[in-house]
Amino acid sequence: MKFGGSVLDSSSKIKTLVNIVNSFKNLEGKDNEIVCVISAISGVTDKIIMLSELIIKGKRSAIKTFIDEMTRLHLDLINNAITDQKLQAEAKKVILDTMKEFQAILEGLVLISEITPRSLDHMLSFGERLAAPIVSYALRNNNLDSDFLTGKEIGIVTDSNFGEARPLMNTTKFRVNAKLIPLILEGKIPVITGYIAADQHGYITTLGRSGSDYTATIIASCINADEVYLWSDVDGLLTAEPLIVKDAQVLDEISYSEAAEMVLFGAKYIHPRALEPVMDSNIPLRLRNAFNLSHPGTTITQNLRISNNIIKSIIAIRNTALIDVSGGGMVGSPGTAANIFDTLAKNKVNIMMISQGPSESSISVVLRKDDLGKAITSLELKLLGKVIKHLNVLEDVSIVTVVGSGMRGIKGIAGRVFSSIAKEDVNVIMIVQGSSELNLAFIVRDDDCEKAVRSLYKEFNLGKTF
Ligand code: ASP
Ligand code: MG
């Protein structure tokens, strides 16, 4: 069970968490074994990142303000969530000792006003390292035996790609099993810091933002868990954005590959690689709302019941821009696409959508609006006037994606999609469908986005529960 920051940021929420663990432990008379993975308290990771920016500027005074605020935040949770005096005192000591270590590191970093990716990961690890002990003591406070451990201690080993580290799964599996299984057999509920691990040299790494999801699925696949719960404060994945479509429904079951298309942009953000470990070992992933237990949430699995719904969800991705790169010199000249993508990649521009027609005279790429400046400058400097003759830019466009594995091999879906939005007088600027036929994505003007989503919602009856 992974608990996100939004399930941790008040003592009453921590009590909710404890109740969930307690009730699942004895669910239906079974003695279930539970491993908890904990995020930082909501907002803490962002605050550490902000502090790192001040440290680079040499702002020493920011450290004390930060340490005071963090100490108060975590001690307050302990005061209200842990009633047993002895446990409360122990938990406070852990927090104060951790804070002392954190402060010493920050004071050192500000002296040289430099933060490397490695030292940033070390800083970020404190968010989770402060949260996990509180949860573990709160469980003990309710007579549940528990230990807390970091991702490093539990044996998650990654490459040294600080900030976006990837697990070395074979080593990790071996170490995690050796460490975790004995704890579970002793009847303990291990509480593990999400998001953080260590590389082969023992340096702390992080798995990328929202990495606790990933920690949970990595551990689940190592110990071959029966299921993974990601607890947060939303009911699950939706058929559309509730801001656009009022009666958007929670999907009760979807496949891993459908989920992979949705989790980045839907109501519930999940770490993009978190699906991999459970997908490989076929472990169901349950998205549940900790504050709405009567709602079954969304289950992500392989074995799908036959669904009548060809389309599962419609996703709108706002704040994107399109660059159309063209020039006669591109036709029949191998390496042009590679050149364009390489230039963008070197400047850290992520491409969201690509299309090229068979005439090869233009390539369109869609990217985040925030990256547009960087993208145009780098393409102009590197390629304009050579193979490329024009850069045509469209700001204020949206991607609309229609997701559903039911589209595969069914004729006429694209026809229905485009005639339904044509009836709304929406112009389609670019279209992409992967050959997996799992999704169909197209670009419209941002002003047209809501109209397009609503008309598709109606066309494919997504308002009905299924
Ligand atoms: N605390 C980390 C973040 O905010 C990891 C997580 O929440 O899963 O990104
Ligand atoms: Mg989070």
Side-chain angles (χ1 to χ4, degrees):
M1 292 188 164
K2 175 252 172 173
F3 294 91
S6 61
V7 191
L8 303 165
D9 57 7
S10 76
S11 51
S12 71
K13 292 186 184 176
I14 292 180
K15 285 178 193 157
T16 305
L17 180 164
V18 172
N19 288 338
I20 291 173
V21 173
N22 210 356
S23 65
F24 272 77
K25 201 166 178 308
N26 302 309
L27 199 66
E28 291 153 7
K30 286 193 210 130
D31 193 15
N32 286 318
E33 296 157 330
I34 300 175
V35 176
C36 294
V37 172
I38 302 294
S39 290
I41 312 296
S42 55
V44 169
T45 305
D46 289 328
K47 290 212 171 102
I48 298 176
I49 291 173
M50 274 160 13
L51 179 70
S52 75
E53 281 152 16
L54 297 173
I55 285 181
I56 294 171
K57 294 191 186 125
K59 295 234 164 67
R60 184 147 189 224
S61 60
I63 295 175
K64 187 166 175 338
T65 319
F66 172 85
I67 291 288
D68 287 348
E69 188 193 344
M70 286 296 126
T71 309
R72 210 176 323 117
L73 174 75
H74 291 88
L75 290 185
D76 278 353
L77 289 177
I78 294 177
N79 278 333
N80 298 310
I82 303 168
T83 46
D84 180 285
Q85 291 306 305
K86 189 168 160 280
L87 291 173
Q88 192 186 90
E90 273 179 46
K92 282 185 178 167
K93 182 164 184 322
V94 173
I95 295 304
L96 291 172
D97 287 349
T98 310
M99 275 298 175
K100 217 187 251 167
E101 183 189 334
F102 198 3
Q103 183 164 6
I105 287 167
L106 296 173
E107 305 276 3
L109 289 170
V110 78
L111 288 179
I112 48 170
S113 302
E114 188 193 15
I115 309 266
T116 61
R118 192 177 107 194
S119 45
L120 181 60
D121 274 4
H122 199 114
M123 278 178 71
L124 288 168
S125 73
F126 281 92
E128 272 69 13
R129 285 166 66 189
L130 289 163
I134 299 181
V135 171
S136 183
Y137 277 104
L139 291 171
R140 288 183 222 179
N141 191 60
N142 283 267
N143 298 320
L144 293 164
D145 198 4
S146 170
D147 265 356
F148 56 93
L149 299 108
T150 64
K152 175 179 170 175
E153 287 163 340
I154 204 71
I156 303 179
V157 185
T158 66
D159 59 16
S160 303
N161 186 16
F162 297 98
E164 277 295 334
R166 287 178 186 249
L168 310 178
M169 278 311 279
N170 293 315
T171 323
T172 297
K173 184 167 186 175
F174 178 71
R175 295 196 193 186
V176 166
N177 273 307
K179 190 85 193 186
L180 204 49
I181 301 293
L183 289 174
I184 297 172
L185 291 179
E186 276 172 46
K188 290 204 158 117
I189 299 176
V191 176
I192 298 161
T193 59
Y195 182 48
I196 60 180
D199 70 2
Q200 305 99 296
H201 311 291
Y203 295 121
I204 295 178
T205 54
T206 63
L207 304 172
R209 290 308 301 271
S210 277
S212 304
D213 302 331
Y214 200 13
T215 304
T217 58
I218 291 168
I219 292 177
S221 106
C222 288
I223 61 172
N224 202 13
D226 295 326
E227 45 188 12
V228 179
Y229 285 79
L230 301 184
W231 293 99
S232 69
D233 58 356
V234 299
D235 287 337
L237 295 174
L238 297 170
T239 52
E241 226 176 284
L243 283 178
I244 302 182
V245 182
K246 278 194 203 68
D247 69 339
Q249 305 284 323
V250 175
L251 290 155
D252 61 1
E253 205 171 80
I254 54 167
S255 70
Y256 295 115
S257 28
E258 287 171 332
E261 300 287 341
M262 294 173 58
V263 293
L264 283 180
F265 307 104
K268 169 86 184 87
Y269 180 91
I270 298 179
H271 189 292
R273 286 193 301 279
L275 293 165
E276 275 169 31
V278 280
M279 195 192 277
D280 293 344
S281 14
N282 204 357
I283 300 171
L285 189 60
R286 302 188 192 282
L287 312 182
R288 294 285 305 266
N289 187 345
F291 311 109
N292 188 10
L293 290 179
S294 59
H295 198 291
T298 300
T299 298
I300 306 173
T301 60
Q302 207 112 66
N303 316 318
L304 281 190
R305 279 185 276 123
I306 304 298
S307 155
N308 301 327
N309 287 72
I310 297 169
I311 305 294
K312 293 286 174 58
S313 179
I314 298 161
I315 293 164
I317 307 165
R318 303 318 243 311
N319 296 315
T320 56
L322 182 149
I323 305 180
D324 185 65
V325 183
S326 59
M330 291 166 60
V331 179
S333 94
T336 311
N339 236 328
I340 294 170
F341 301 147
D342 188 51
T343 306
L344 293 174
K346 286 204 173 109
N347 289 280
K348 298 221 167 352
V349 174
N350 186 39
I351 303 174
M352 304 174 77
M353 254 170 101
I354 304 169
S355 87
Q356 180 191 277
S359 80
E360 303 176 44
S361 61
S362 88
I363 292 178
S364 301
V365 294
V366 179
L367 31 93
R368 282 186 197 287
K369 221 157 122 188
D370 295 344
D371 286 340
L372 187 58
K374 265 195 298 188
I376 299 175
T377 317
S378 57
L379 289 174
E380 280 197 315
L381 282 174
K382 183 86 193 293
L383 302 172
L384 200 64
K386 295 166 197 157
V387 260
I388 299 181
K389 290 284 166 298
H390 304 282
L391 285 182
N392 222 332
V393 178
L394 277 181
E395 285 182 65
D396 304 315
V397 295
S398 295
I399 305 176
V400 178
T401 306
V402 181
V403 182
S405 52
M407 283 194 276
R408 197 172 295 152
I410 307 262
K411 299 181 195 88
I413 304 298
R416 272 174 73 188
V417 167
F418 296 117
S419 49
S420 117
I421 58 175
K423 274 186 228 137
E424 299 292 322
D425 209 21
V426 171
N427 180 40
V428 176
I429 300 167
M430 165 179 165
I431 304 171
V432 170
Q433 182 186 281
S435 54
S436 71
E437 300 181 52
L438 203 58
N439 70 25
L440 172 64
F442 57 92
I443 298 291
V444 296
R445 284 191 28 235
D446 203 33
D447 294 344
D448 285 337
C449 172
E450 299 196 0
K451 258 200 290 186
V453 171
R454 282 196 201 107
S455 80
L456 292 171
Y457 197 76
K458 251 195 260 139
E459 173 68 28
F460 291 101
N461 296 321
L462 292 187
K464 286 193 208 130
T465 339
F466 26 81

